[in-house]
Amino acid sequence: MTVYAIIGGTGLTQLEGLTITAALNMDTPYGAPSAPVLRGEYAGREVLFLARHGHPHRIPPHQVNYRANIWALKQAGAEAIIAVNAVGGIHMAMGTGHFCVPHQVIDYTSGRAHTFFEGELDHVTHVDFSYPYDEKLRELLIAALAAEHCEFSSHGVYGATQGPRLETVAEIARMERDGCDIVGMTGMPEAVLAREVSLPYACLSLVVNPAAGKTTALITMAEIERALEQGMGKVKAVLARVLS
């Protein structure tokens, strides 16, 4: 039976309902991960859980040690990863509270340690990243969202920005022209690092605010926190259904 790892983002620093059997304080060649890797049982399955931003939530997106996180999950026995991401909505369908299971990503980040294949190498390695998300995992998430009667899009392009600031109106307009449907700060290099260590990876994105220029109001943390509070119950129900 597949051992799933769940990476929790903003709003999901702990997985309520997880019966913890071990908290693994792991060391990696890339330093320490964001938090201990929690091993336990959730929805009747053995799972691993890692809080991307630490617990408590303290590590900003551009300072997450993505390499250590993915390496630690692989070493702990993960066989597939479901990543939970809070995002902004660009496409008109992506309103607050809407879910998206992206099928593509555009990387606008810079300066992040983004590969395991560097330094003293025996040979140069290039991974095929044409389709960044595992299709079987995507199908499981889509089926679970439908079964939970959530409003969702089965496809979407995730635009990954550097953060920690939110984007300008002009930047969102550019991303929309590029074909992005949602915008977040943690989708990359997490997805490609999983590919480099041969871990199937898919993303469950919850829209927590309209992107810059998609509303006349200012984007506030209070608004985002309300959307997270309202949406995380559904996130947990979807995860439970996938695992069961």
Side-chain angles (χ1 to χ4, degrees):
M1 191 175 286
T2 302
V3 177
Y4 288 99
I6 297 167
I7 300 179
T10 300
L12 193 64
T13 56
Q14 56 186 340
L15 187 59
E16 185 180 343
L18 174 67
T19 302
I20 300 171
T21 57
L24 308 176
N25 291 294
M26 305 187 69
D27 191 21
T28 81
Y30 308 97
S34 299
V37 175
L38 302 181
R39 185 191 306 278
E41 185 176 294
Y42 188 71
R45 292 276 296 266
E46 179 188 4
V47 298
L48 301 168
F49 178 79
L50 178 61
R52 183 188 289 117
H53 298 282
H55 182 54
H57 185 285
R58 60 182 177 81
I59 305 171
H62 67 296
Q63 291 186 321
V64 171
N65 192 339
Y66 295 96
R67 291 194 297 183
N69 286 353
I70 296 299
W71 191 271
L73 290 174
K74 178 78 171 181
Q75 292 305 110
E79 296 173 321
I81 295 175
I82 298 173
V84 179
N85 300 76
V87 299
I90 298 177
H91 190 280
M92 62 182 299
M94 306 293 173
T96 299
H98 194 82
F99 285 93
C100 180
V101 184
H103 71 293
Q104 280 293 331
V105 64
I106 299 177
D107 188 4
Y108 299 94
T109 66
S110 62
R112 300 183 181 189
H114 63 279
T115 181
F116 294 116
F117 298 123
E118 62 182 13
E120 297 296 324
L121 299 174
D122 294 330
H123 55 85
V124 175
T125 301
H126 303 284
V127 296
D128 184 352
F129 203 52
S130 302
Y131 302 98
Y133 302 108
D134 182 80
E135 192 58 31
K136 289 183 180 179
L137 272 181
R138 289 186 67 256
E139 289 172 0
L140 286 174
L141 287 169
I142 290 164
L145 285 162
E148 290 296 326
H149 307 289
C150 297
E151 292 186 5
F152 73 96
S153 296
S154 60
H155 291 76
V157 177
Y158 183 123
T161 58
Q162 180 68 358
R165 67 169 178 84
L166 298 176
E167 301 73 32
T168 69
V169 171
E171 287 168 335
I172 292 298
R174 173 201 173 190
M175 294 175 71
E176 189 168 25
R177 291 192 298 270
D178 287 348
C180 296
D181 299 299
I182 54 177
V183 55
M185 301 175 189
T186 55
M188 288 290 287
E190 195 172 89
V192 72
L193 291 168
R195 178 64 53 86
E196 287 187 349
V197 294
S198 302
L199 280 175
Y201 177 100
C203 171
L204 176 62
S205 293
L206 170 66
V207 179
V208 296
N209 62 275
K214 298 300 176 180
T215 176
T216 56
L218 291 176
I219 300 169
T220 67
M221 287 309 300
E223 171 193 9
I224 291 172
E225 287 166 3
R226 280 195 301 272
L228 285 168
E229 185 177 345
Q230 293 168 3
M232 278 304 144
K234 294 178 181 178
V235 166
K236 293 169 186 174
V238 168
L239 292 174
R241 190 173 286 273
V242 168
L243 294 172
S244 63

